[in-house]
Amino acid sequence: MSEQEKNIYAAITSTLLVAGLYCMKMFEMHHEKLFSGEGAASLMGKSLLLLVVANVVANMIVRIVFSLIFSIATKTCETSHLDERDKTIELKGMQVSYMVFAIGLMFSLGALALGWSPLIVINLIVLCLILGEIASGITKLYQYRRGY
Amino acid sequence: MGKRVISNNIRTLRFHHNEMTQKGLAEKVGVTRQTIIAIEKAKYSPSLELAFLIALVFNKPFQEVFSYELIGEKNECGE
């Protein structure tokens, strides 16, 4: 498994981890009726900021842990740079990510037009970002596995 | 009309260059070993610059390393 593939696995794992925790926290807050009232928008903003920071930190930690595990398992210390093929695969992943996000955004705007709560729509948009990130990772892994 | 692919003789050329490893070639042209594997299997078409670099490493003209072949159907010469 190449360095890039390890990084993709790490990114998908950390995204799923953080997204899972975020969803659990959101459901908890929803049940406690924290999203209705004056401070709801501010609370949502804080939660989203925390999500972004947590995602970055979790990604770094998972990447280090993955590198350590693979280095110990394979007894190698492989470091590699991005070459033209990696960059092409990266672009394909990004393309899929944008496509998933754009479709999700359209649905979210539709939901807003139908009268859904803006806070739920914001969460839908966040969900689309997460789905886009996962779709991008899967696309890149597929490209690496099939050789291109 | 059949499909055209960029094929190459990199495996043979490596063999004739003291069994040069894929890693060795990758280091010489500045890409990863996985990219060399993908090029050898004709699963990835390299950029023009990378293709010329590979030809330079083997000290061969470009057309002796890479060729643009028709697959799945007879070509114009009926071969």
Side-chain angles (χ1 to χ4, degrees), chain B residues 7-53:
Chain B
S7 59
N8 60 79
N9 303 316
I10 295 176
R11 175 73 194 93
T12 317
L13 289 165
R14 280 198 300 111
F15 179 77
H16 291 303
H17 276 74
N18 300 324
E19 275 284 353
M20 184 192 285
T21 59
Q22 288 171 331
K23 197 179 175 191
L25 177 61
E27 279 167 4
K28 281 186 177 168
V29 295
V31 295
T32 58
R33 193 174 70 87
Q34 283 75 22
T35 300
I36 297 295
I37 295 169
I39 295 170
E40 272 191 19
K41 288 181 180 170
K43 284 187 172 175
Y44 171 66
S45 302
S47 68
L48 203 53
E49 190 183 0
L50 177 57
F52 273 112
L53 267 174

Side-chain angles (χ1 to χ4, degrees), chain A residues 12-79:
Chain A
I12 292 176
T13 309
S14 69
T15 304
L16 285 174
L17 203 74
V18 173
L21 288 172
Y22 177 77
C23 286
M24 274 167 60
K25 190 78 187 159
M26 283 294 118
F27 277 120
E28 213 173 273
M29 287 164 100
H30 183 69
H31 280 296
E32 287 169 13
K33 308 266 187 240
L34 289 173
F35 288 130
S36 49
E38 274 185 20
S42 160
L43 186 65
M44 176 61 79
K46 283 176 195 163
S47 306
L48 287 175
L49 276 176
L50 196 68
L51 172 74
V52 173
V53 175
N55 198 18
V56 172
V57 174
N59 195 294
M60 281 162 62
I61 293 170
V62 171
R63 213 173 260 208
I64 292 166
V65 171
F66 264 57
S67 286
L68 279 174
I69 291 170
F70 280 111
S71 296
I72 292 165
T74 58
K75 287 174 183 154
T76 53
C77 187
E78 191 187 315
T79 50

Side-chain angles (χ1 to χ4, degrees), chain A residues 35 40-41 44 48 108 111-113 115-126:
Chain A
F35 288 130
M44 176 61 79
L48 287 175
S108 306
L112 194 64
W116 286 34
S117 157
L119 295 179
I120 292 177
V121 172
I122 290 175
N123 273 323
L124 271 178
I125 294 171
V126 172

Side-chain angles (χ1 to χ4, degrees), chain A residues 2 81 83-85 146-148, chain B residues 30-32 35 38 43-44 47:
Chain A
S2 70
H81 61 282
D83 64 16
E84 58 173 52
R85 181 170 149 268
R146 72 182 264 258
Y148 171 46
Chain B
V31 295
T32 58
T35 300
K43 284 187 172 175
Y44 171 66
S47 68

